[in-house]
Amino acid sequence: MRELSLNILDIVQNSISAGSPIITIKVHESTPKKSMLIEILDEGRGMSAEQVLSVTDPFFTTRTTRKVGMGVPLFKMAAEMTGGSFNINSQLGSGTGVKAEFYSEHIDMTPLGDINQTVAMLIRMNPNIDFVFERSLDEQSFTLDTRELRQILEGVPLDTPDVMAWITEFLEENDKELIGGA
Amino acid sequence: MKSLAELKAIKEKTQAAVGMRQDNEDKIRILVGMATCGIAAGARPVLAALVEEVEKRNLHNVSVSQTGCIGVCQYEPVIEVVAPNEEKVTYVKVTAEKAVRIINDHIVNGNVVTEYTIGSVAK
């Protein structure tokens, strides 16, 4: 993958397939630690201990159409290439959490890329799922929580073009303020 | 900075216009392959371009949705156009620019962009 935000888009598809009503995406960057922490948390059906062990194997997939599943292995590889770490926590019936830590100054660091487009497309394509997106750089942070938006929208769907335009601008403005356009 | 008050105004405007919207039965569906293969090959900007163009042109009878791996990973990004009473058209190696042309030529004007279809790319 050319961008970590594409890995995120891919990993979140697993949470969607797991029937999660809410999905949290966290991207935390730390200047002193020179690290980027990416977490994806869902409340889907979860996995057994045995399944957790096998998802990092590219020859494991729950699909029946073919025998390979590259999503999790590629994300794990991207983290480990930078000297970082990768973890999956899951419990049947309560959900799954994927956590990857990257050393952002490592030469093999994949850029985060267009994370805002990932978040916007996830919301646009899954109007019945709630998303929480948390982005932080050291002490500064911002959050987009579709549950809060729904409260204001009172039944107007999130995939309404004007609402999506608001979401996109919200993400871009906050991103710019946080990262300083860098 | 975007404010929640602005969102509230959008809600009120949309609710007022809600009667004008109608669910069209002869919907054209555009499916974008968004499995690992599709995403790695560049499906996300294609999806974004399709959504943007459909909204810009107010195409109420067109829906854009995502699907899994269609099985031709080497030709990703792949999109399928499914229109009622018409044969399904599969476009391959789609880019954001090609996606806009597919909307304009095929969806709006009814002319399949033959050069982008799997039939003319796959040998």
Side-chain angles (χ1 to χ4, degrees), chain B residues 15-86:
Chain B
Q15 277 176 336
V18 94
M20 289 156 55
R21 265 188 126 180
Q22 50 181 45
D23 263 347
N24 212 319
E25 273 184 26
D26 37 329
K27 260 202 162 184
I28 301 174
R29 291 190 305 141
I30 305 176
L31 299 165
V32 185
M34 293 287 284
T36 307
C37 48
I39 292 171
R44 188 189 63 191
V46 169
L47 179 68
L50 288 169
V51 167
E52 197 193 324
E53 195 65 19
V54 165
E55 280 163 8
K56 202 162 76 185
R57 291 175 160 270
N58 264 314
L59 304 172
H60 289 302
N61 66 328
V62 178
S63 75
V64 182
S65 48
Q66 58 183 67
T67 183
C69 174
I70 301 163
V72 286
C73 310
Q74 69 272 40
Y75 298 120
E76 292 282 357
V78 170
I79 70 173
E80 294 182 320
V81 176
V82 187
N85 309 318
E86 268 171 51

Coordinates of all heavy atoms in Angstrom, one line a residue, chain B residues 15-86:
Chain B
Q15 N -34.2 19.1 5.2 CA -35.5 18.7 5.6 C -36.6 19.4 4.7 O -37.6 18.8 4.4 CB -35.8 18.9 7.0 CG -35.2 17.8 7.9 CD -35.4 18.1 9.4 OE1 -35.5 19.2 9.8 NE2 -35.3 17.0 10.2
A16 N -36.4 20.7 4.4 CA -37.3 21.4 3.6 C -37.4 20.9 2.2 O -38.5 20.9 1.6 CB -36.9 22.9 3.6
A17 N -36.3 20.3 1.7 CA -36.2 19.9 0.3 C -36.6 18.4 0.2 O -36.6 17.9 -0.9 CB -34.8 20.1 -0.2
V18 N -36.9 17.8 1.3 CA -37.0 16.3 1.4 C -38.1 15.8 0.4 O -38.0 14.7 -0.2 CB -37.2 15.8 2.8 CG1 -38.6 15.6 3.2 CG2 -36.4 14.5 3.0
G19 N -39.2 16.6 0.3 CA -40.3 16.2 -0.6 C -39.9 16.1 -2.0 O -40.5 15.3 -2.8
M20 N -38.9 16.8 -2.4 CA -38.5 16.9 -3.8 C -37.7 15.6 -4.2 O -37.7 15.3 -5.4 CB -37.6 18.1 -4.1 CG -38.4 19.4 -4.0 SD -37.2 20.8 -3.6 CE -36.0 20.5 -4.9
R21 N -37.2 14.9 -3.2 CA -36.4 13.7 -3.6 C -37.3 12.6 -3.8 O -38.3 12.4 -3.1 CB -35.5 13.4 -2.4 CG -34.1 14.0 -2.6 CD -33.2 13.5 -1.5 NE -32.0 12.8 -2.1 CZ -31.1 12.3 -1.3 NH1 -31.2 12.3 0.0 NH2 -30.0 11.8 -1.9
Q22 N -37.1 11.8 -4.8 CA -37.9 10.6 -5.0 C -37.0 9.4 -5.4 O -35.9 9.6 -6.0 CB -38.9 10.8 -6.1 CG -38.3 11.4 -7.4 CD -39.3 11.6 -8.4 OE1 -40.4 12.2 -8.2 NE2 -39.0 11.2 -9.7
D23 N -37.4 8.3 -4.9 CA -36.6 7.1 -5.1 C -36.9 6.6 -6.5 O -38.1 6.2 -6.8 CB -36.8 6.0 -4.1 CG -35.8 6.1 -3.0 OD1 -34.7 6.7 -3.3 OD2 -35.9 5.4 -2.0
N24 N -36.0 6.6 -7.4 CA -36.2 6.2 -8.7 C -36.0 4.7 -8.9 O -35.1 4.2 -8.4 CB -35.2 6.9 -9.6 CG -35.8 7.2 -11.0 OD1 -36.5 6.4 -11.5 ND2 -35.5 8.4 -11.5
E25 N -37.0 4.1 -9.5 CA -37.0 2.7 -9.6 C -35.9 2.2 -10.6 O -35.3 1.1 -10.3 CB -38.4 2.1 -9.9 CG -39.2 1.9 -8.7 CD -40.5 1.2 -9.0 OE1 -40.6 0.5 -10.0 OE2 -41.5 1.4 -8.2
D26 N -35.8 2.9 -11.7 CA -34.8 2.4 -12.6 C -33.4 3.0 -12.3 O -32.9 3.8 -13.0 CB -35.2 2.7 -14.1 CG -35.9 4.0 -14.2 OD1 -36.6 4.5 -13.3 OD2 -35.7 4.7 -15.3
K27 N -32.9 2.5 -11.2 CA -31.6 3.0 -10.7 C -30.5 2.4 -11.4 O -30.5 1.2 -11.7 CB -31.5 2.7 -9.2 CG -31.8 3.9 -8.4 CD -31.2 3.8 -7.0 CE -31.2 5.3 -6.4 NZ -30.6 5.5 -5.2
I28 N -29.5 3.2 -11.8 CA -28.2 2.6 -12.3 C -27.3 2.5 -11.1 O -27.1 3.4 -10.3 CB -27.6 3.6 -13.3 CG1 -28.6 3.8 -14.5 CG2 -26.3 3.1 -13.8 CD1 -28.1 4.9 -15.5
R29 N -26.7 1.3 -11.0 CA -25.8 1.1 -9.9 C -24.3 1.0 -10.4 O -24.0 0.4 -11.4 CB -26.1 -0.2 -9.2 CG -27.4 -0.2 -8.4 CD -27.6 -1.4 -7.5 NE -27.5 -2.6 -8.3 CZ -26.9 -3.7 -7.9 NH1 -26.4 -3.7 -6.7 NH2 -26.9 -4.8 -8.6
I30 N -23.5 1.7 -9.7 CA -22.0 1.7 -10.0 C -21.4 1.0 -8.8 O -21.5 1.5 -7.7 CB -21.4 3.1 -10.2 CG1 -22.2 3.8 -11.3 CG2 -20.0 3.0 -10.6 CD1 -21.7 5.3 -11.5
L31 N -20.7 -0.1 -9.1 CA -20.1 -0.9 -8.0 C -18.5 -0.7 -8.1 O -18.0 -0.9 -9.2 CB -20.4 -2.3 -8.1 CG -21.9 -2.6 -8.0 CD1 -22.2 -4.1 -8.4 CD2 -22.4 -2.4 -6.5
V32 N -17.9 -0.4 -7.0 CA -16.4 -0.2 -7.0 C -15.8 -1.4 -6.2 O -16.2 -1.6 -5.0 CB -16.1 1.1 -6.4 CG1 -14.6 1.4 -6.5 CG2 -16.8 2.3 -7.1
G33 N -14.9 -2.0 -6.7 CA -14.2 -3.1 -6.0 C -13.3 -2.5 -4.9 O -12.4 -1.8 -5.2
M34 N -13.6 -2.8 -3.7 CA -12.9 -2.2 -2.6 C -12.3 -3.3 -1.6 O -12.3 -3.1 -0.4 CB -13.8 -1.2 -1.8 CG -14.2 0.0 -2.5 SD -12.9 1.2 -2.8 CE -12.9 1.9 -1.2
A35 N -11.9 -4.4 -2.2 CA -11.1 -5.3 -1.3 C -9.7 -4.9 -1.3 O -9.3 -3.8 -1.8 CB -11.2 -6.7 -1.9
T36 N -8.8 -5.6 -0.6 CA -7.4 -5.2 -0.5 C -6.8 -4.9 -1.9 O -6.1 -3.9 -2.0 CB -6.6 -6.3 0.2 OG1 -7.2 -6.7 1.4 CG2 -5.2 -5.9 0.5
C37 N -7.1 -5.8 -2.9 CA -6.5 -5.6 -4.2 C -6.9 -4.2 -4.8 O -6.1 -3.5 -5.3 CB -6.9 -6.7 -5.1 SG -8.6 -7.1 -5.1
G38 N -8.2 -3.9 -4.7 CA -8.8 -2.7 -5.3 C -8.2 -1.5 -4.6 O -7.7 -0.5 -5.2
I39 N -8.2 -1.5 -3.2 CA -7.7 -0.4 -2.5 C -6.2 -0.1 -2.8 O -5.8 1.0 -3.0 CB -7.9 -0.6 -0.9 CG1 -9.4 -0.6 -0.6 CG2 -7.1 0.4 -0.1 CD1 -9.7 -1.1 0.8
A40 N -5.4 -1.2 -2.9 CA -4.0 -1.1 -3.1 C -3.7 -0.5 -4.5 O -2.8 0.3 -4.7 CB -3.3 -2.4 -3.0
A41 N -4.6 -0.8 -5.5 CA -4.4 -0.3 -6.8 C -5.0 1.1 -7.1 O -4.8 1.6 -8.1 CB -5.1 -1.3 -7.8
G42 N -5.7 1.6 -6.1 CA -6.1 3.0 -6.2 C -7.6 3.2 -6.3 O -8.1 4.2 -6.9
A43 N -8.4 2.3 -5.7 CA -9.9 2.4 -5.8 C -10.4 3.6 -5.0 O -11.5 4.1 -5.3 CB -10.5 1.1 -5.3
R44 N -9.7 4.0 -3.9 CA -10.3 5.1 -3.1 C -10.5 6.4 -3.9 O -11.6 7.0 -3.8 CB -9.4 5.3 -1.8 CG -10.1 6.3 -0.8 CD -9.1 6.7 0.3 NE -8.0 7.4 -0.3 CZ -6.9 7.6 0.4 NH1 -6.8 7.2 1.7 NH2 -5.9 8.3 -0.1
P45 N -9.5 6.9 -4.6 CA -9.7 8.1 -5.3 C -10.7 8.0 -6.5 O -11.4 8.9 -6.8 CB -8.3 8.5 -5.9 CG -7.4 7.4 -5.6 CD -8.0 6.6 -4.5
V46 N -10.8 6.7 -7.0 CA -11.9 6.5 -8.0 C -13.3 6.6 -7.4 O -14.1 7.2 -7.9 CB -11.7 5.0 -8.6 CG1 -12.8 4.6 -9.5 CG2 -10.4 5.0 -9.4
L47 N -13.4 6.0 -6.2 CA -14.7 6.0 -5.5 C -15.1 7.5 -5.2 O -16.2 7.9 -5.5 CB -14.6 5.2 -4.2 CG -15.8 5.2 -3.3 CD1 -17.0 4.4 -4.0 CD2 -15.5 4.6 -2.0
A48 N -14.1 8.2 -4.7 CA -14.3 9.6 -4.4 C -14.7 10.4 -5.6 O -15.6 11.3 -5.6 CB -13.1 10.2 -3.7
A49 N -14.1 10.2 -6.8 CA -14.4 10.9 -8.0 C -15.8 10.6 -8.5 O -16.5 11.5 -8.9 CB -13.3 10.6 -9.1
L50 N -16.1 9.3 -8.4 CA -17.5 8.9 -8.8 C -18.6 9.6 -8.0 O -19.5 10.1 -8.5 CB -17.6 7.3 -8.7 CG -16.9 6.5 -9.7 CD1 -16.9 5.0 -9.3 CD2 -17.5 6.6 -11.1
V51 N -18.4 9.5 -6.7 CA -19.3 10.1 -5.7 C -19.5 11.6 -6.0 O -20.6 12.2 -6.1 CB -18.9 9.9 -4.3 CG1 -19.7 10.7 -3.3 CG2 -19.1 8.4 -3.9
E52 N -18.3 12.3 -6.2 CA -18.3 13.7 -6.4 C -19.0 14.0 -7.7 O -19.9 15.0 -7.8 CB -16.9 14.2 -6.5 CG -16.8 15.7 -6.3 CD -15.4 16.3 -6.7 OE1 -14.4 15.6 -6.4 OE2 -15.4 17.3 -7.3
E53 N -18.8 13.3 -8.8 CA -19.3 13.6 -10.1 C -20.8 13.4 -10.1 O -21.6 14.2 -10.7 CB -18.6 12.8 -11.2 CG -18.9 13.2 -12.6 CD -18.3 14.6 -12.9 OE1 -17.4 15.1 -12.2 OE2 -18.7 15.2 -13.9
V54 N -21.3 12.3 -9.5 CA -22.7 11.9 -9.4 C -23.4 13.0 -8.6 O -24.5 13.5 -9.0 CB -22.9 10.6 -8.7 CG1 -24.4 10.4 -8.3 CG2 -22.5 9.4 -9.6
E55 N -22.8 13.5 -7.6 CA -23.4 14.6 -6.8 C -23.4 15.9 -7.5 O -24.4 16.7 -7.5 CB -22.8 14.7 -5.4 CG -23.3 13.6 -4.5 CD -22.5 13.4 -3.2 OE1 -21.5 14.2 -3.0 OE2 -22.7 12.4 -2.5
K56 N -22.3 16.2 -8.2 CA -22.2 17.5 -8.9 C -23.3 17.6 -10.0 O -23.8 18.6 -10.2 CB -20.8 17.6 -9.5 CG -20.4 18.9 -9.9 CD -18.8 19.0 -10.0 CE -18.4 18.4 -11.4 NZ -17.0 18.4 -11.5
R57 N -23.5 16.4 -10.6 CA -24.5 16.4 -11.7 C -25.9 16.1 -11.3 O -26.8 16.0 -12.1 CB -24.1 15.4 -12.8 CG -22.8 15.8 -13.5 CD -22.4 14.7 -14.4 NE -21.5 15.2 -15.5 CZ -21.9 15.7 -16.6 NH1 -23.2 15.7 -16.9 NH2 -21.0 16.1 -17.5
N58 N -26.1 16.0 -10.0 CA -27.4 15.7 -9.4 C -28.1 14.5 -10.0 O -29.3 14.5 -10.4 CB -28.3 16.9 -9.6 CG -28.4 17.8 -8.4 OD1 -28.5 17.2 -7.3 ND2 -28.2 19.1 -8.6
L59 N -27.3 13.4 -10.2 CA -27.9 12.2 -10.8 C -28.6 11.4 -9.7 O -28.0 10.5 -9.1 CB -26.7 11.4 -11.5 CG -25.9 12.1 -12.5 CD1 -24.7 11.3 -12.9 CD2 -26.7 12.5 -13.7
H60 N -29.9 11.7 -9.5 CA -30.6 11.0 -8.5 C -30.9 9.5 -8.7 O -31.2 8.8 -7.8 CB -31.9 11.7 -8.2 CG -31.7 13.0 -7.5 ND1 -31.0 13.1 -6.3 CD2 -32.0 14.3 -7.9 CE1 -31.0 14.4 -6.0 NE2 -31.6 15.1 -6.9
N61 N -30.8 9.1 -10.0 CA -31.1 7.7 -10.3 C -29.8 6.9 -10.4 O -29.8 5.8 -10.9 CB -31.8 7.6 -11.7 CG -30.9 8.1 -12.8 OD1 -30.1 8.9 -12.7 ND2 -31.1 7.5 -14.0
V62 N -28.7 7.4 -9.9 CA -27.5 6.6 -9.9 C -27.0 6.4 -8.4 O -27.0 7.4 -7.6 CB -26.4 7.4 -10.6 CG1 -25.1 6.7 -10.6 CG2 -26.8 7.7 -12.1
S63 N -26.7 5.2 -8.1 CA -26.1 4.9 -6.8 C -24.7 4.4 -6.9 O -24.4 3.6 -7.8 CB -27.0 4.0 -6.0 OG -26.8 2.7 -6.5
V64 N -23.8 4.8 -6.1 CA -22.4 4.4 -6.1 C -22.2 3.5 -4.8 O -22.5 4.0 -3.7 CB -21.4 5.5 -6.1 CG1 -20.0 5.0 -6.1 CG2 -21.7 6.5 -7.2
S65 N -21.8 2.3 -5.0 CA -21.6 1.5 -3.8 C -20.3 0.7 -3.9 O -19.8 0.6 -5.0 CB -22.8 0.6 -3.4 OG -23.2 0.0 -4.5
Q66 N -19.9 0.1 -2.8 CA -18.7 -0.7 -2.9 C -19.0 -2.2 -2.9 O -20.0 -2.6 -2.3 CB -17.7 -0.3 -1.8 CG -18.2 -0.4 -0.4 CD -17.2 0.1 0.6 OE1 -16.9 1.3 0.7 NE2 -16.7 -0.8 1.4
T67 N -18.1 -2.9 -3.4 CA -18.2 -4.4 -3.4 C -16.8 -5.0 -3.1 O -15.8 -4.2 -3.0 CB -18.8 -4.9 -4.8 OG1 -19.0 -6.3 -4.7 CG2 -17.9 -4.5 -5.9
G68 N -16.8 -6.3 -3.0 CA -15.5 -6.9 -2.6 C -14.6 -7.1 -3.8 O -14.7 -6.4 -4.8
C69 N -13.9 -8.2 -3.8 CA -13.0 -8.5 -4.9 C -13.7 -9.3 -5.9 O -14.4 -10.3 -5.6 CB -11.8 -9.4 -4.3 SG -10.7 -10.0 -5.6
I70 N -13.7 -8.8 -7.2 CA -14.4 -9.4 -8.2 C -13.7 -10.6 -8.8 O -14.2 -11.5 -9.5 CB -14.8 -8.4 -9.3 CG1 -15.6 -7.2 -8.6 CG2 -15.6 -8.9 -10.5 CD1 -15.6 -6.0 -9.5
G71 N -12.4 -10.7 -8.5 CA -11.6 -11.8 -9.0 C -10.6 -11.6 -10.1 O -10.0 -12.4 -10.6
V72 N -10.6 -10.3 -10.5 CA -9.6 -9.9 -11.6 C -8.6 -8.9 -11.0 O -8.5 -7.8 -11.5 CB -10.3 -9.4 -12.9 CG1 -10.9 -10.6 -13.6 CG2 -11.3 -8.4 -12.6
C73 N -7.9 -9.3 -9.9 CA -7.1 -8.3 -9.2 C -6.1 -7.6 -10.0 O -5.7 -6.5 -9.8 CB -6.4 -9.1 -8.0 SG -7.6 -10.0 -7.0
Q74 N -5.6 -8.3 -11.1 CA -4.6 -7.7 -11.9 C -5.1 -6.5 -12.7 O -4.3 -5.7 -13.3 CB -3.9 -8.7 -12.9 CG -4.8 -9.3 -14.0 CD -5.7 -10.5 -13.5 OE1 -6.2 -10.5 -12.4 NE2 -5.8 -11.5 -14.4
Y75 N -6.4 -6.4 -12.8 CA -7.0 -5.3 -13.6 C -7.6 -4.2 -12.7 O -8.3 -3.3 -13.1 CB -8.1 -5.8 -14.5 CG -7.6 -6.7 -15.6 CD1 -8.1 -8.0 -15.6 CD2 -6.6 -6.3 -16.5 CE1 -7.6 -8.9 -16.6 CE2 -6.1 -7.2 -17.4 CZ -6.6 -8.5 -17.5 OH -6.1 -9.3 -18.4
E76 N -7.4 -4.3 -11.3 CA -7.9 -3.3 -10.4 C -7.3 -1.9 -10.7 O -6.2 -1.9 -11.2 CB -7.6 -3.7 -9.0 CG -8.4 -4.9 -8.5 CD -9.8 -4.7 -8.2 OE1 -10.3 -3.5 -8.2 OE2 -10.5 -5.6 -7.9
P77 N -7.9 -0.8 -10.3 CA -9.3 -0.7 -9.8 C -10.4 -1.1 -10.9 O -10.3 -0.6 -12.0 CB -9.4 0.8 -9.5 CG -8.0 1.3 -9.4 CD -7.2 0.5 -10.3
V78 N -11.3 -1.9 -10.5 CA -12.4 -2.3 -11.3 C -13.7 -1.7 -10.9 O -14.0 -1.6 -9.7 CB -12.5 -3.9 -11.3 CG1 -13.7 -4.4 -12.0 CG2 -11.3 -4.5 -11.8
I79 N -14.5 -1.2 -11.8 CA -15.9 -0.8 -11.5 C -16.9 -1.5 -12.4 O -16.5 -1.8 -13.6 CB -16.0 0.7 -11.5 CG1 -16.0 1.3 -12.9 CG2 -15.0 1.4 -10.6 CD1 -16.4 2.8 -12.9
E80 N -18.0 -1.7 -11.9 CA -19.1 -2.3 -12.7 C -20.3 -1.4 -12.8 O -20.6 -0.8 -11.8 CB -19.5 -3.7 -12.1 CG -18.5 -4.7 -12.1 CD -18.9 -6.0 -11.6 OE1 -19.7 -6.0 -10.5 OE2 -18.6 -7.1 -12.1
V81 N -20.8 -1.3 -14.0 CA -22.0 -0.4 -14.2 C -23.2 -1.4 -14.4 O -23.2 -2.1 -15.4 CB -21.9 0.6 -15.3 CG1 -23.2 1.4 -15.5 CG2 -20.7 1.5 -15.0
V82 N -24.2 -1.4 -13.6 CA -25.3 -2.2 -13.7 C -26.6 -1.4 -13.9 O -27.0 -0.7 -13.0 CB -25.5 -3.1 -12.4 CG1 -26.6 -4.2 -12.7 CG2 -24.2 -3.8 -12.1
A83 N -27.1 -1.4 -15.2 CA -28.3 -0.6 -15.5 C -29.4 -1.6 -15.8 O -29.2 -2.7 -16.3 CB -28.0 0.3 -16.7
P84 N -30.6 -1.2 -15.4 CA -31.8 -2.1 -15.7 C -31.9 -2.4 -17.2 O -31.7 -1.5 -18.0 CB -33.0 -1.3 -15.2 CG -32.5 0.0 -14.6 CD -31.0 0.1 -14.8
N85 N -32.2 -3.6 -17.5 CA -32.4 -4.1 -18.9 C -31.1 -3.9 -19.8 O -31.2 -3.9 -21.0 CB -33.6 -3.3 -19.6 CG -34.8 -3.4 -18.7 OD1 -35.1 -4.5 -18.2 ND2 -35.5 -2.3 -18.6
E86 N -30.0 -3.8 -19.2 CA -28.8 -3.7 -20.0 C -27.8 -4.6 -19.5 O -27.8 -5.0 -18.3 CB -28.2 -2.2 -19.9 CG -28.7 -1.3 -21.0 CD -28.3 0.1 -20.8 OE1 -27.1 0.3 -20.6 OE2 -29.1 1.0 -20.8

